[in-house]
Amino acid sequence: MLACNIIAIVLAAICVIYEFRRQLMMLQQNSYRNERYRRWLSASQDTTSTMRLVTGAVALASLSTLSVPMVSLCLVTLISIVNIFNLAGKKYKKPLVMTNRAKRIFAVMLFLAVILVAATILFCVFNDRQLDQAAVVTLLAFCFSPLFTLVANWLLKPVEAHINQKYYADAERILKSMPDLKIIGVTGSYGKTSTKHYLNRILSEKYDVMMTPGSFNTTMGVIRTVREYLKPYNEVFIVEMGAKQPNDIKEICDLVHPSIGIVTAVGEQHLESFKTIENVQRTKFELIDSLPADGLAIINDDFPFVANRPVDNVECIRYAVSSTDAAQYTATDIHYTPAGTDFTVVTPDGEQLPFSTRLVGECNVSNLLAAIITALRLNVPVDKIRYAVANIEQVEHRLNMKRTAGGVTIIDDAFNSNPTGSKMALDVLKMMTGGRRIIVTPGMIELGERQEELNEVFGRHIASSADIAIIVGAYNRDAIVAGIENADNRVARLHKVDSFNEAQQLLATMLQPGDTILYENDLPDTFK
């Protein structure tokens, strides 16, 4: 009987470890913020999943005074094995990254579970009870894993704040030791990562440049960049600044003190946390508001909530591709070719500067325009700017175009789709007339109360831009399908699939040379 108890406890513990890791992964994807993690729990109904309800029923039945110890052990062992196989076999698009912070949270979660199980074992020993209850309590830790996650993260808040402050002070010291460093902040609802990359490539023609890598666009990401990547010989530091709530960008600016600020867009993104576009505008313009009196603001007038925001604290340059009335710099004569895009930059004094790039899409021309303006102000010669623009590589998953050996063109716009960017991607797809135009998409996320409305509008754009629409998953399916089916000028033939793997299998049966596929967005695990 003792051996059976030990086996049941061990299997239940393994089950708990797998589940704790999964919950920690979701907490990490929600930026270690309990409020966002709780919203995910509510939206995903994870706390009432079939696996958790069945496990809870088994645990409660085993704790009943009518239960038979051996039967309880068998049930606990069986459900633990089922859960282990289910969790061990799962593949995730954004798997857990076991950072030092994640390790600390995981250790506290396990410590809390161990205390609970150890207390149960002691209770059983001192009261001559069977140890089957310890196995059942271990299994209960699986059922209440979100609670363990929330409590562990809450308990560690003072620890994390102390650690972060130490890192902050170190980054601040490094930046103060480089008084001649030119710091450029880049923010926007979309386009900031591409603009950062383009600016880095262009400025590198004259300066030694460092940029925040990947999506290191939070305060801690910037701190890590300064401490681990920034070198004393760097002349320009390009800082991408992301935000999920007000004051996020101000917090970064208070550390790095940029002298040039670029706002690429203010649009309907992250409305789940911002609630209104006015809050998005205020937060993005924290960058501009933080600039010194001799600083420079470079902002994109193509977005109404950029154009209507006055800037009077610093010199302000407005640029545009479409809404050009009040813009000093514009991009005109945009022509797409098999090799990319040709366009002309018109300066405030009327000079026309022709450029060619491998990139496609109006959004990329707009992002290039912001980078070109910055380079001109930093006295990079025009011929060097032109050379850099012509050789800029496409940023992965951001309207990245490539051609397969089978003659199929792939447009990869899988990262962080939004209403404006998705419309631009569809405009590019619509121009591909060599074969059938196919879109594969699960729709757009983090749009708050406008989620359904904006995905339905997205569906209407799909209806007239694509010949074949493959809608992935159920998260936005109804809204997108309604938009496609209710469109007056519909040409798209509709397919509904449950996963990207199923979409790939469907594509394998239909693709022909000359076809173009647009991959628009790829939902992270948080929104599966």
Side-chain angles (χ1 to χ4, degrees):
M1 187 69 174
L2 179 61
C4 293
N5 278 314
I6 292 173
I7 291 171
I9 292 171
V10 169
L11 287 171
I14 294 172
C15 167
V16 168
I17 289 170
Y18 272 113
E19 174 63 7
F20 276 12
R21 284 181 61 88
R22 187 178 76 87
Q23 293 299 326
L24 180 57
M25 177 185 71
M26 294 306 179
L27 178 69
Q28 188 177 74
Q29 289 189 20
N30 284 286
S31 306
Y32 296 106
R33 291 175 175 169
N34 276 0
E35 66 278 7
R36 291 189 63 196
Y37 173 66
R38 284 197 300 267
R39 283 201 297 268
W40 170 77
L41 288 171
S42 176
S44 66
Q45 299 182 321
D46 188 78
T47 52
T48 55
S49 66
T50 301
M51 184 185 293
R52 204 179 302 281
L53 291 176
V54 170
T55 303
V58 168
L60 290 175
S62 300
L63 288 174
S64 168
T65 55
L66 300 176
S67 65
V68 179
M70 184 54 73
V71 173
S72 295
L73 288 176
C74 289
L75 286 172
V76 169
T77 300
L78 177 62
I79 200 69
S80 297
I81 291 172
V82 170
N83 283 333
I84 289 169
F85 272 101
N86 281 336
L87 292 168
K90 279 196 171 186
K91 302 295 182 185
Y92 301 102
K93 292 175 184 175
K94 289 183 67 176
L96 174 66
V97 180
M98 196 54 90
T99 62
N100 288 334
R101 182 174 186 177
K103 289 175 183 177
R104 289 191 290 271
I105 296 172
F106 190 60
V108 172
M109 291 168 70
L110 291 178
F111 178 71
L112 293 173
V114 166
I115 288 177
L116 182 64
V117 174
T120 305
I121 291 174
L122 289 174
F123 174 81
C124 293
V125 168
F126 286 111
N127 291 277
D128 294 325
R129 301 286 185 89
Q130 295 290 334
L131 284 179
D132 64 293
Q133 291 190 359
V136 174
V137 169
T138 305
L139 198 59
L140 279 175
F142 171 94
C143 299
F144 292 98
S145 56
L147 182 60
F148 282 87
T149 308
L150 289 164
V151 171
N153 194 40
W154 177 76
L155 288 172
L156 283 171
K157 277 188 74 174
V159 176
E160 298 302 331
H162 177 74
I163 293 170
N164 291 348
Q165 183 55 43
K166 182 179 70 173
Y167 292 153
Y168 186 102
D170 190 41
E172 196 172 40
R173 175 190 61 77
I174 293 169
L175 290 169
K176 284 181 179 177
S177 72
M178 302 173 67
D180 296 327
L181 183 68
K182 176 69 71 174
I183 300 176
I184 303 170
V186 184
T187 192
S189 298
Y190 10 89
K192 55 184 176 291
T193 301
S194 296
T195 301
K196 173 187 69 176
H197 280 276
Y198 304 161
L199 188 56
N200 177 66
R201 176 64 185 86
I202 295 170
L203 294 183
S204 294
E205 290 294 316
K206 181 176 179 178
Y207 300 99
D208 192 298
V209 184
M210 172 55 63
M211 68 176 181
T212 48
S215 292
F216 280 31
N217 59 14
T218 64
T219 302
M220 291 311 298
V222 174
I223 287 172
R224 183 178 172 187
T225 303
V226 172
R227 297 180 67 246
E228 298 181 12
Y229 298 97
L230 193 65
K231 299 295 185 287
Y233 50 78
N234 291 142
E235 298 171 287
V236 177
F237 183 28
I238 304 170
V239 182
E240 179 182 347
M241 301 181 180
K244 293 291 181 69
Q245 59 189 22
N247 292 318
D248 279 358
I249 290 174
K250 182 180 183 301
E251 189 176 79
I252 299 173
C253 291
D254 288 344
L255 170 66
V256 301
H257 302 292
S259 59
I260 297 176
I262 301 172
V263 178
T264 61
V266 170
E268 292 160 315
Q269 195 171 35
H270 301 311
L271 290 180
E272 184 178 0
S273 53
F274 281 113
K275 306 304 181 187
T276 68
I277 194 168
E278 287 81 8
N279 287 336
V280 177
Q281 181 193 58
R282 278 191 289 272
T283 303
K284 298 304 178 186
F285 272 84
E286 288 170 5
L287 168 58
I288 306 304
D289 294 338
S290 75
L291 295 173
D294 60 349
L296 174 65
I298 300 172
I299 63 177
N300 188 357
D301 261 16
D302 282 331
F303 294 86
F305 278 85
V306 176
N308 69 10
R309 175 43 156 87
V311 176
D312 50 23
N313 60 310
V314 292
E315 179 187 358
C316 179
I317 293 176
R318 296 179 182 270
Y319 66 95
V321 175
S322 54
S323 301
T324 58
D325 290 348
Q328 292 106 307
Y329 283 84
T330 60
T332 62
D333 301 326
I334 300 171
H335 299 292
Y336 300 113
T337 71
T341 308
D342 297 328
F343 65 99
T344 300
V345 173
V346 181
T347 68
D349 58 10
E351 185 179 5
Q352 298 192 7
L353 306 175
F355 290 91
S356 296
T357 179
R358 300 174 187 174
L359 308 174
V360 295
E362 187 179 294
C363 55
N364 277 322
V365 173
S366 178
N367 296 333
L368 281 171
L369 183 54
I372 290 168
I373 294 166
T374 308
L376 289 171
R377 289 301 297 258
L378 293 179
N379 300 313
V380 180
V382 173
D383 60 330
K384 289 185 177 293
I385 297 174
R386 187 172 287 121
Y387 174 80
V389 169
N391 289 279
I392 282 176
E393 297 292 334
Q394 296 168 321
V395 181
E396 190 177 13
H397 305 314
R398 291 170 171 85
L399 216 58
N400 186 318
M401 187 178 293
K402 56 188 175 183
R403 197 170 180 83
T404 69
V408 174
T409 300
I410 296 175
I411 304 173
D412 182 355
D413 198 37
F415 185 86
N416 209 19
S417 183
N418 59 78
T420 302
S422 64
K423 174 64 167 59
M424 290 182 181
L426 284 168
D427 288 342
V428 173
L429 179 66
K430 192 172 185 176
M431 289 185 294
M432 300 297 174
T433 56
R436 294 173 302 170
R437 299 158 301 185
I438 305 167
I439 182 171
V440 179
T441 183
M444 300 174 291
I445 59 174
E446 294 188 332
L447 296 172
E449 294 178 354
R450 301 196 64 194
Q451 179 92 7
E452 184 176 352
E453 172 198 346
L454 292 172
N455 274 288
E456 187 169 342
V457 172
F458 179 43
R460 290 202 293 273
H461 292 320
I462 290 173
S464 59
S465 302
D467 300 303
I468 298 172
I470 301 175
I471 311 304
V472 181
Y475 196 79
N476 293 307
R477 178 184 291 165
D478 291 345
I480 298 172
V481 169
I484 294 173
E485 292 182 339
N486 294 329
D488 295 331
N489 52 350
R490 173 183 174 182
V491 295
R493 190 152 43 90
L494 184 62
H495 295 271
K496 292 176 277 189
V497 298
D498 292 326
S499 67
F500 274 101
N501 285 338
E502 194 176 328
Q504 293 300 105
Q505 292 169 7
L506 177 61
L507 285 170
T509 67
M510 66 169 63
L511 282 180
Q512 301 170 3
D515 288 348
T516 300
I517 309 168
L518 168 63
Y519 289 98
E520 185 65 23
N521 207 14
D522 185 4
L523 298 187
D525 300 300
T526 310
F527 294 94
K528 285 175 107 175

